[in-house]
Amino acid sequence: MPANPSVSRRTALKSLAAAGLATGLLSACGDDSSSSSSGGGSATGPITFGSNYSDAAPKAAFAALTQQAAGSTSVQVTVNTTDHNTFQNNINSYLQGTPDSLATWFAGYRLQFFAAQGLLSPIDDVWNKIGGTFNDAAKSLSKGLDGHYYLVPLYNYPWVVFYNKSVFKAKGYEVPTSWDQFVALAKRMQADGLVPLAFADKDGWPALGTFDIINLRVNGYDYHIKLMKHEVPWTDPGVAAVFNQWRELAPYQQKGANGRIWQDAAKALENKQAGLMFQGSNQVAANYAASNLPDLDFFVFPTINTSFGTDYMDAPTDGFILPKKGKNQDAAKKILEYIGTGAAETEFLKTDHWDVGLANGLIAPTYNDIQKKSVAEIAKCKNVSQFMDRDTVPDMANAMIKLIQQFIDSPTAETIASIQKSAEAQAKTIFTS
Amino acid sequence: MALITTEPLAPPAAQAPRRRRRLRTLTRRDKFVAAAMLGVPLLLDLAFIWFPALASVLLSFTKWTGVGPIKLQSCAELPSAPGIPQPGCLYGVQNYHQAFTNYPDFWPAVEHNAIWLAVFIVFATPLGMLFAVILDRGIRGSRVYQSLLFLPVMLSLALIGIIWELIYSPDFGLINTIIGRNHNDNLIDWLGNPHLNLWALLVEASWRQAPYVMVLYLAGLKAVDPTLREAAVVDGASGWQTFWRVVFPTMRPINIVVLVVTVIESLRAFDLVYITSNGNPLRGLELLSVAVTQNIVGETQRIGFGSTLGVVLLVISLVPISIFLYQAFRREEQR
């Protein structure tokens, strides 16, 4: 049995590597308080760009963007791409270690959280030049809690209800505008043998979007943001109202969602086994085959509470940050100034058919119908939220992922009560101390 | 193994005085070599095992996100803004209090670790032993079976997790497709349903664990002196009796190794759950090791709290390790 000793040796090596990693993490702590002087440097010096655009399509789009940026600023740019999950999980040690001069990141609370800990450089001087490109909503998303700018946004995308035009035409369905019409449509689809709402939550985060939109429709934007910041307790009746509303929809959502990845749910919509799917265009449209894309269309989540109408939605914004410990900050700022223009966004969107640029009034020549409609619908919103895992502390989003999976398992009144209790108990330890 | 048991006991005792004389005449070079050979492993041991373990214990009494230094000050005295983490500070036993009372994953994790261990001991290990005994009888094609059964052991657990995800997938998975339960009204959610998913994963884990144990026992069975078995047959023992009364007891060293491997593998259980649930454990799949990683690795690091869970896992692991070491040392003393 020669294989046996080699197996145990391999296991031994593995655990040794793990131990080494653990000490690496631990020893990364002591030596970081006073080295923030690495800013400045050469104004044209080469810079590195940390990217989490690891999928093929966005990676190519990003390469085109950085090439343009390098060409027009004569700053040499090297892109270091990391798998996006890994990138996000390591962001803390990345920013404290030897980060790149620039990095990809997200807007909103998820930005403020790291800015408040002094890990990012403010870029107000960049915004003095690019301020005219963006509207007030984009501006406030790019600011830290201290009022300084920390992000240059690139694109966003809407969370809306997707459907196939051909299915609606063949069955004579109408786009619903009220909750009652929405539920009636779902019921009709079920009778027609379709899965009314394709749904998946094995990845954890997709169902957070459903919570967000129902909360925005039932309680409005201000309430939602207060809840995300734990200024409203999770035991509030407003939260119960959201889950109770969701209960009416639960029978029409695809069964077994907790074991399904969202790509499989999107496939059910694309194969016309499902009638509708509520998710981001960055996922559904990006997952569609190019030949099926013209058949795809969407409508915004229907009105529930008429005092809020369809004024709000989740439209997550992605952009770029300047890590405090990055090298050649002056050169990096030049790149940021270039990226904060409509021309740069147009360049990026040449190969991206699901996101939309954030520059004022930008309609890139390569936009398809989905993108044109996205721009219009986002512009109609009085406010856009970012998504639960960007609007609240990541720990709280993780807690809600599990609690919402529990709700998906058994959408009952008892579950709702226990979810609210547990969410509040965890929020207390996460937000206060 | 057989050699050790048949070795006569007298010679080592006779050699003892001679060896002691040789010790006294160690040259300086011998001493240096001995010091280096003891010192280097000792240093590595201290640096990579004792230091991290001790550091974890110390960190478990702090609150720290991994940003900036840890201040030797109580967290209660420092200012705090809601939602923005405080700098590292001393937290007393608060982490332990939270783990035991408030953290929803803790008790399910302990329970699932215990179930994992029980299934390994009651099901996977005996199954491996059964494979070994059957293969050891020299049935035709024994080598083919051996290779086939051993295949899962050669795959990494991460790969096993991915393979079985394709088998369990609700809409397009192998099982649901074969039994026709992949429609929206009747599908079985193997990995998402909290009453099913732990068992689904234990099938994956046993798929790998049983052949691993099989290999260990095959080696053990080959080492059993065939004359023992012949003697048992001559004395009129049945096959069952021969195995349990004669063969099994002579494999005592292997039995202990297998027991230790089983306990370690079930406490180490991590990869399958991590792969299946993409980091954030699905309900029904909470394990202590996953909870530690989830808190320490990630966008926001709760290093103090994660260390607390690590210390709990350490204390639990110490129980079987101590028993094993106690047994091993006692045996050596007897010799």
Side-chain angles (χ1 to χ4, degrees):
Chain A
M1 295 296 110
N4 175 30
S6 88
V7 164
S8 55
R9 202 179 309 139
R10 197 189 308 149
T11 353
L13 277 173
K14 228 190 276 169
S15 44
L16 202 91
L21 204 95
T23 44
L25 277 175
L26 290 171
S27 58
C29 53
D31 56 351
D32 54 45
S33 44
S34 63
S35 53
S36 56
S37 57
S38 52
S42 160
T44 55
I47 67 157
T48 57
F49 210 136
S51 161
N52 66 348
Y53 297 177
S54 53
D55 295 338
K59 192 175 173 181
F62 187 66
L65 174 71
T66 46
Q67 220 161 32
Q68 276 293 317
S72 75
T73 56
S74 68
V75 174
Q76 200 190 326
V77 185
T78 317
V79 178
N80 297 326
T81 308
T82 314
D83 162 69
H84 53 88
N85 265 338
T86 315
F87 186 86
Q88 273 127 250
N89 280 335
N90 292 334
I91 188 70
N92 222 333
S93 32
Y94 171 77
L95 291 176
Q96 290 187 76
T98 50
D100 298 296
S101 319
L102 289 170
T104 51
W105 199 240
F106 314 103
Y109 191 84
R110 215 169 173 179
L111 170 75
Q112 296 167 345
F113 185 79
F114 292 99
Q117 297 183 71
L119 296 170
L120 309 178
S121 287
I123 47 170
D124 295 333
D125 43 350
V126 173
W127 272 87
N128 283 337
K129 293 185 183 153
I130 64 169
T133 314
F134 300 101
N135 63 15
D136 288 346
K139 279 180 185 163
S140 71
L141 282 174
S142 306
K143 283 182 193 167
L145 290 173
D146 55 3
H148 293 294
Y149 287 101
Y150 288 97
L151 179 102
V152 172
L154 180 66
Y155 63 74
N156 64 2
Y157 59 90
W159 273 68
V160 285
V161 186
F162 286 92
Y163 66 91
N164 293 302
K165 286 183 242 178
S166 58
V167 172
F168 266 51
K169 205 169 167 191
K171 309 264 181 183
Y173 299 143
E174 305 256 332
V175 168
T177 52
S178 71
W179 179 259
D180 290 341
Q181 287 174 13
F182 189 47
V183 174
L185 174 64
K187 201 169 186 174
R188 222 181 117 192
M189 285 179 165
Q190 201 164 47
D192 288 345
L194 287 168
V195 176
L197 275 154
F199 191 42
D201 199 33
K202 183 160 176 290
D203 315 271
W205 51 267
L208 297 180
T210 308
F211 179 91
D212 285 353
I213 194 67
I214 298 180
N215 197 18
L216 290 169
R217 290 286 181 269
V218 172
N219 298 313
Y221 177 81
D222 292 337
Y223 180 93
H224 181 62
I225 292 301
K226 275 185 186 160
L227 181 68
M228 293 297 110
K229 295 190 170 170
H230 198 225
E231 288 163 18
V232 169
W234 281 88
T235 43
D236 192 77
V239 178
V242 172
F243 280 114
N244 280 321
Q245 198 82 29
W246 191 343
R247 275 176 75 189
E248 291 178 36
L249 208 59
Y252 306 107
Q253 288 182 311
Q254 200 172 3
K255 302 282 180 298
N258 285 337
R260 182 181 298 109
I261 51 174
W262 67 260
Q263 287 90 339
D264 283 355
K267 219 180 281 171
L269 183 73
E270 192 171 356
N271 294 341
K272 296 171 187 171
Q273 292 159 341
L276 306 164
M277 178 165 176
F278 175 73
Q279 195 147 346
S281 68
N282 180 289
Q283 291 102 40
V284 179
N287 211 47
Y288 253 55
S291 55
N292 289 332
L293 205 52
D295 194 26
L296 186 69
D297 200 356
F298 69 78
F299 56 86
V300 295
F301 200 87
T303 302
I304 297 174
N305 179 345
T306 44
S307 53
F308 300 114
T310 55
D311 290 347
Y312 317 112
M313 67 159 85
D314 269 338
T317 303
D318 293 356
F320 307 102
I321 50 171
L322 187 66
K324 193 163 241 169
K325 298 183 108 191
K327 291 201 176 73
N328 286 338
Q329 298 211 336
D330 290 339
K333 281 179 180 173
K334 275 191 172 174
I335 296 287
L336 286 179
E337 281 164 19
Y338 173 78
I339 288 175
T341 61
E345 291 184 357
T346 307
E347 183 63 38
F348 180 82
L349 290 162
K350 265 184 190 164
T351 52
D352 176 327
H353 303 301
W354 37 89
D355 300 310
V356 294
L358 271 179
N360 275 335
L362 176 81
I363 305 289
T366 53
Y367 274 2
N368 58 23
D369 291 346
I370 296 279
Q371 284 169 306
K372 283 177 191 154
K373 197 167 173 182
S374 297
V375 175
E377 292 300 342
I378 294 174
K380 275 189 215 161
C381 288
K382 287 186 183 159
N383 251 319
V384 292
S385 47
Q386 291 301 297
F387 200 70
M388 194 189 287
D389 65 8
R390 304 178 181 209
D391 286 326
T392 188
V393 184
D395 287 334
M396 193 63 220
N398 277 341
M400 285 316 293
I401 281 175
K402 291 204 74 176
L403 294 172
I404 286 177
Q405 282 175 337
Q406 191 180 341
F407 174 77
I408 293 169
D409 260 340
S410 69
T412 64
E414 298 86 70
T415 315
I416 294 171
S418 85
I419 286 175
Q420 286 188 279
K421 207 175 135 218
S422 173
E424 181 57 21
Q426 292 183 70
K428 274 195 180 124
T429 65
I430 290 167
F431 281 88
T432 57
S433 51
Chain B
M1 294 300 150
L3 269 179
I4 294 171
T5 47
T6 52
E7 199 179 35
L9 283 169
Q15 277 166 5
R18 217 193 310 156
R19 203 185 285 158
R20 207 173 295 144
R21 208 177 307 134
R22 219 187 295 147
L23 259 176
R24 246 179 261 133
T25 57
L26 278 177
T27 64
R28 188 172 291 173
R29 190 158 151 258
D30 287 343
K31 279 182 190 161
F32 177 75
V33 169
M37 290 181 94
L38 277 175
V40 172
L42 184 71
L43 267 179
L44 287 176
D45 191 40
L46 284 175
F48 291 114
I49 295 173
W50 287 97
F51 171 69
L54 202 69
S56 296
V57 173
L58 293 178
L59 281 172
S60 73
F61 297 105
T62 66
K63 192 165 77 167
W64 188 42
T65 57
V67 180
I70 299 177
K71 292 184 179 160
L72 294 179
Q73 226 178 330
S74 166
C75 291
E77 294 167 14
L78 290 170
S80 70
I84 298 299
Q86 289 178 306
C89 50
L90 301 180
Y91 208 31
V93 292
Q94 277 299 309
N95 284 328
Y96 290 89
H97 181 74
Q98 271 178 30
F100 294 141
T101 57
N102 182 320
Y103 187 57
D105 283 12
F106 183 78
W107 290 111
V110 172
E111 188 192 329
H112 297 153
N113 267 109
I115 293 177
W116 203 285
L117 177 64
V119 168
F120 268 18
I121 288 185
V122 175
F123 174 70
T125 302
L127 187 67
M129 190 154 80
L130 183 71
F131 286 157
V133 170
I134 292 173
L135 287 178
D136 191 50
R137 308 193 110 181
I139 49 170
R140 209 190 309 158
S142 149
R143 281 186 184 274
V144 177
Y145 290 124
Q146 241 175 66
S147 320
L148 283 179
L149 284 171
F150 191 63
L151 201 67
V153 186
M154 295 194 284
L155 303 175
S156 79
L157 279 166
L159 195 58
I160 291 175
I162 292 168
I163 292 173
W164 281 86
E165 224 170 297
L166 300 177
I167 296 176
Y168 283 131
S169 155
D171 305 310
F172 307 102
L174 182 71
I175 298 179
N176 277 3
T177 309
I178 287 179
I179 62 176
R181 298 285 296 262
N182 58 347
H183 304 293
N184 194 41
D185 44 355
N186 70 356
L187 61 78
I188 305 176
D189 187 6
W190 295 103
L191 295 176
N193 185 334
H195 304 294
L196 275 180
N197 51 12
L198 184 67
W199 304 103
L201 253 68
L202 280 167
V203 169
E204 301 177 22
S206 303
W207 185 63
R208 181 183 182 275
Q209 180 69 7
Y212 186 26
V213 169
M214 172 194 84
V215 171
L216 293 176
Y217 269 121
L218 267 178
L221 284 168
K222 292 263 180 328
V224 171
D225 192 345
T227 52
L228 284 175
R229 236 178 275 193
E230 283 160 23
V233 173
V234 170
D235 286 348
S238 66
W240 185 256
Q241 282 171 327
T242 313
F243 181 75
W244 286 112
R245 299 276 174 85
V246 179
V247 177
F248 189 74
T250 48
M251 290 197 298
R252 187 165 181 271
I254 290 283
N255 288 335
I256 289 175
V257 168
V258 167
L259 188 67
V260 170
V261 164
T262 304
V263 172
I264 289 177
E265 287 286 324
S266 45
L267 285 173
R268 258 175 26 135
F270 171 79
D271 319 43
L272 288 177
V273 169
Y274 193 78
I275 288 292
T276 305
S277 30
N278 299 324
N280 199 11
L282 292 165
R283 249 163 44 77
L285 291 183
E286 298 91 347
L287 287 177
L288 281 173
S289 52
V290 179
V292 172
T293 322
Q294 200 200 349
N295 280 287
I296 290 194
V297 181
E299 217 174 298
T300 48
Q301 302 171 320
R302 295 169 78 191
I303 291 178
F305 189 68
S307 302
T308 304
L309 298 174
V311 170
V312 172
L313 188 57
L314 178 72
V315 170
I316 295 175
S317 315
L318 278 178
V319 175
I321 293 170
S322 313
I323 294 173
F324 170 68
L325 287 181
Y326 177 73
Q327 288 268 336
F329 282 130
R330 202 180 57 175
R331 219 173 339 126
E332 249 159 53
E333 274 168 20
Q334 280 172 351
R335 230 171 246 156

